[in-house]
Amino acid sequence: MKMTTVGLRERKKQKTRIALIDAALDLFLAEGYDITTVDQIAAAVDVSPRTFFRYFASKEEVALSPCRDGQEIFESELAARPGDESPYQAVMRAMRTTLATVRDGDPAEADRFVKVRRLMKETPSLIAGQMCMIAQSERRLTEEVARRRGTDVDDLHTQFVVSVLTTINRVCLEHGPDDPAPLLERMERTIAIAERCLRPGWDR
Amino acid sequence: MKMTTVGLRERKKQKTRIALIDAALDLFLAEGYDITTVDQIAAAVDVSPRTFFRYFASKEEVALSPCRDGQEIFESELAARPGDESPYQAVMRAMRTTLATVRDGDPAEADRFVKVRRLMKETPSLIAGQMCMIAQSERRLTEEVARRRGTDVDDLHTQFVVSVLTTINRVCLEHGPDDPAPLLERMERTIAIAERCLRPGWDR
DNA sequence: TAACTTATGTCACCCCATGACAAATGACAA
DNA sequence: TTGTCATTTGTCATGGGGTGACATAAGTTA
């Protein structure tokens, strides 16, 4: 008869993980991403540098980890959208609920989200990693869209649709405000523009 | 009364630069990008490792340098487009002439172009850098498009247009063939799809 | 040829990242 | 509680990427 299932061990791991992320984010924002060393981050959490790399594969990963979380939320939201929605509808609605989730969920989590956005704006060296994440997510999105459109992932039109969808999200996120609420507003405005530019049924 | 202007010094520099690029590309393709070390590249050209970093800021930069060249061609082609063309027209035509330039220009240069494309397809660690380049170019493209549309660079519609234009190019280049000629064909097919999806005047 | 400028090599150094091994710590059953 | 086991952690050693400093070699110019 297992209760919470999570033992002390697992809880400790989660705690150091969060501690590493928070320490890293604060150091990055205070001192600058490039200058801050992994040793400093580890020291701030009172952990050996080697341990840091057992939690995160790279310095970049710890910085972008809240991003990754948001992306996972988005992807599960997208998978939960009914199958009769068009790719465009499904993606936009999933995006809306994702931002709303961040806005209304754990404040600490939302705080990290905002911090990462602030950090990325002032750190060109992180753009590469961010773009890489987007590219990966785009590959997964392609499968989802191909399913909804009933084509192969190699279909040129499907690839175009995916790229445009990613683009809409990117226009929002890239230069938008940091806080979830105004970000959601920008999202609506971007969607309005997209719908003025695209022919009805373009994504079918 | 200056003649060729380029002295022995400058010629030598160009030669080692090219030699480094070619040696790097061949090593990367033969052994793999991640495994190949800068020391190996430098040794292949009979140059000190320190000198390598005087030519290229990073191992990534030497790999992507032909890409960068192509992008510069594109940007000068774009700047040369008449001002009365819409952003979409200007970008697509600049893209066409760029690919044609690569196809019809120096075979050695085209060869490097093809090699880089082959390399990128099998090297995930290079995607980040490539995406970063695209992001940078997108920022410059934004200024050009803002000029043509007569808006500020912060204009949301302008940002949307830029993203869609970048997207069209990316759909082409990302999963397309390596050789310039078939790539040009894929470009035309992508353009056709884009025009079926977008409302006339969407980029104005 | 001499003086100057610039590229190169050598050296030292820091940071990121990883494998190996031993020590510490939580999990679990007797 | 105690002993055993599994997992996490720290320490150590190693290698590659990347940079500053300085002396030397090589091209440039008078």
Side-chain angles (χ1 to χ4, degrees):
Chain A
M1 180 73 70
K2 51 171 73 163
M3 319 259 326
T4 46
T5 291
V6 288
L8 170 58
R9 191 172 240 151
E10 195 62 27
R11 268 180 290 142
K12 261 192 157 180
K13 266 173 61 179
Q14 291 307 321
K15 245 178 62 179
T16 54
R17 185 188 147 79
I18 296 295
L20 281 170
I21 295 176
D22 285 334
L25 252 39
D26 288 339
L27 278 169
F28 290 160
L29 283 172
E31 314 286 339
Y33 173 80
D34 299 294
I35 295 176
T36 304
T37 72
V38 171
D39 289 34
Q40 286 175 270
I41 302 170
V45 187
D46 208 58
V47 151
S48 113
R50 185 68 184 87
T51 294
F52 173 91
F53 285 108
R54 289 202 177 93
Y55 281 85
F56 303 96
S58 65
K59 179 174 153 183
E60 203 179 74
E61 190 176 301
V62 68
L64 264 38
S65 112
C67 259
R68 166 85 50 191
D69 295 344
Q71 227 174 51
E72 275 169 23
I73 297 175
F74 167 73
E75 282 173 25
S76 65
E77 292 287 351
L78 179 60
R81 301 301 316 172
D84 63 338
E85 289 180 338
S86 80
Y88 169 75
Q89 285 175 329
V91 167
M92 290 306 126
R93 286 169 186 170
M95 199 61 201
R96 266 191 274 249
T97 57
T98 301
L99 285 179
T101 301
V102 173
R103 185 193 51 189
D104 305 327
D106 180 11
E109 202 63 44
D111 192 47
R112 273 170 220 124
F113 182 80
V114 172
K115 279 181 181 170
V116 171
R117 287 183 59 73
R118 273 220 300 275
L119 179 62
M120 287 197 295
K121 282 185 184 170
E122 68 182 40
T123 314
S125 17
L126 275 178
I127 293 179
Q130 184 200 8
M131 296 298 270
C132 199
M133 273 181 46
I134 292 175
Q136 288 170 2
S137 123
E138 196 169 54
R139 226 167 300 134
R140 292 188 292 269
L141 184 57
T142 303
E143 291 178 23
E144 178 70 27
V145 171
R147 255 207 13 242
R148 285 178 191 268
R149 295 190 71 239
T151 73
D152 198 82
V153 290
D154 293 332
D155 180 80
L156 196 53
H157 198 311
T158 291
Q159 288 177 8
F160 177 80
V161 171
V162 169
S163 289
V164 172
L165 293 176
T166 305
T167 278
I168 295 176
N169 287 337
R170 223 158 51 71
V171 168
C172 260
L173 297 173
E174 202 104 316
H175 309 286
D178 299 330
D179 292 295
L183 198 52
L184 206 41
E185 287 178 32
R186 182 181 168 97
M187 173 109 229
E188 300 304 338
R189 282 189 293 136
T190 312
I191 289 177
I193 290 175
E195 291 186 351
R196 282 212 311 275
C197 289
L198 292 156
R199 285 199 168 95
W202 67 280
D203 59 333
R204 287 286 184 185
Chain B
M1 179 77 68
K2 53 171 73 162
M3 319 258 330
T4 45
T5 290
V6 289
L8 170 58
R9 190 174 241 147
E10 195 63 25
R11 269 180 289 143
K12 261 191 157 180
K13 268 173 62 178
Q14 291 307 321
K15 245 179 61 179
T16 55
R17 184 187 148 81
I18 296 295
L20 282 170
I21 294 176
D22 286 334
L25 252 40
D26 289 338
L27 277 168
F28 290 159
L29 282 172
E31 315 285 338
Y33 173 80
D34 300 294
I35 295 176
T36 304
T37 71
V38 171
D39 289 33
Q40 286 175 271
I41 302 170
V45 188
D46 208 58
V47 152
S48 114
R50 185 66 183 86
T51 294
F52 173 91
F53 286 108
R54 289 201 177 92
Y55 281 86
F56 303 97
S58 66
K59 180 174 153 185
E60 202 179 74
E61 190 175 302
V62 69
L64 264 38
S65 111
C67 258
R68 165 86 50 190
D69 295 345
Q71 227 174 50
E72 275 171 21
I73 296 176
F74 167 73
E75 283 173 24
S76 64
E77 292 288 350
L78 179 60
R81 300 302 314 174
D84 62 338
E85 288 181 340
S86 79
Y88 169 75
Q89 285 175 329
V91 167
M92 290 306 128
R93 286 170 186 170
M95 199 61 200
R96 266 193 273 251
T97 58
T98 301
L99 285 178
T101 301
V102 173
R103 185 192 53 189
D104 305 328
D106 180 10
E109 201 63 43
D111 192 49
R112 273 170 220 125
F113 182 81
V114 172
K115 279 182 182 170
V116 171
R117 287 185 59 75
R118 273 220 301 274
L119 179 61
M120 287 196 298
K121 281 185 185 169
E122 67 183 40
T123 313
S125 18
L126 275 178
I127 293 179
Q130 186 199 6
M131 297 296 270
C132 198
M133 272 182 45
I134 292 176
Q136 288 169 2
S137 121
E138 197 169 53
R139 225 165 302 134
R140 291 188 292 269
L141 184 56
T142 303
E143 293 179 20
E144 178 71 25
V145 171
R147 255 205 15 241
R148 284 178 190 267
R149 295 190 72 241
T151 73
D152 198 81
V153 290
D154 294 331
D155 181 79
L156 196 54
H157 197 311
T158 291
Q159 289 177 7
F160 177 80
V161 171
V162 169
S163 288
V164 171
L165 292 176
T166 306
T167 277
I168 295 176
N169 287 338
R170 223 159 52 72
V171 168
C172 258
L173 297 173
E174 202 103 315
H175 310 286
D178 299 330
D179 292 295
L183 197 52
L184 207 41
E185 288 178 31
R186 181 180 168 96
M187 173 109 228
E188 300 305 335
R189 281 190 293 135
T190 312
I191 288 177
I193 290 175
E195 292 187 350
R196 283 212 310 277
C197 289
L198 293 157
R199 281 198 170 90
W202 67 280
D203 59 332
R204 287 288 186 183

